[in-house]
Amino acid sequence: MANKSRWEDIKKQRGDPSEEERAGVEQDLALGQLIYDLRIDVGLSQRELAERMGTTQSVISRLEEGGGARNRIDTLARVATALGRHLVLSFPAEVPDRMDDAIQVA
């Protein structure tokens, strides 16, 4: 998976990022890693997941590298459905100490 090099690529393109940009990139990378981990857990290739979602393998690759899903709840919902999972959005007053199979984005 290319997440390890993605941050370095972004820094080269944009220079030193602001804290807000850095946080956004880190959230995107965490989401990509989560999608990758869930896909591997169910034993699907990128191509197989793409077929289930009605998209291409390159879209899945881009998602797993931390790009392409920002603010696209419909895309994340399609990923969840294709993996036999549920997408849950929440706006709790306090974030739980532990969130399995989840990332915190705000």
Side-chain angles (χ1 to χ4, degrees):
M1 201 162 125
N3 284 0
K4 294 181 178 106
S5 66
R6 180 125 168 92
W7 180 241
E8 293 303 318
D9 292 342
I10 290 166
K11 286 195 309 188
K12 287 177 190 173
Q13 292 170 357
R14 298 182 190 168
D16 263 343
S18 69
E19 274 304 308
E20 187 175 311
E21 287 177 312
R22 182 183 207 51
V25 169
E26 288 175 357
Q27 290 169 357
D28 290 345
L29 294 175
L31 180 58
Q33 185 67 51
L34 179 60
I35 292 169
Y36 170 84
D37 291 343
L38 292 171
R39 177 179 61 77
I40 294 302
D41 285 349
V42 297
L44 294 176
S45 68
Q46 287 184 342
R47 184 174 309 283
E48 290 167 327
L49 178 57
E51 288 171 2
R52 287 184 179 196
M53 290 176 58
T55 190
T56 63
Q57 179 273 327
S58 63
V59 168
I60 304 306
S61 177
R62 195 166 42 251
L63 287 172
E64 291 182 357
E65 289 177 356
R70 178 167 268 212
N71 298 322
R72 293 300 310 260
I73 294 171
D74 60 326
T75 300
L76 297 177
R78 288 173 47 218
V79 169
T81 299
L83 292 172
R85 304 291 284 232
H86 301 279
L87 176 65
V88 177
L89 300 176
S90 178
F91 298 94
E94 294 181 27
V95 178
D97 289 335
R98 182 181 168 126
M99 298 188 318
D100 293 330
D101 296 338
I103 63 165
Q104 180 179 341
V105 296

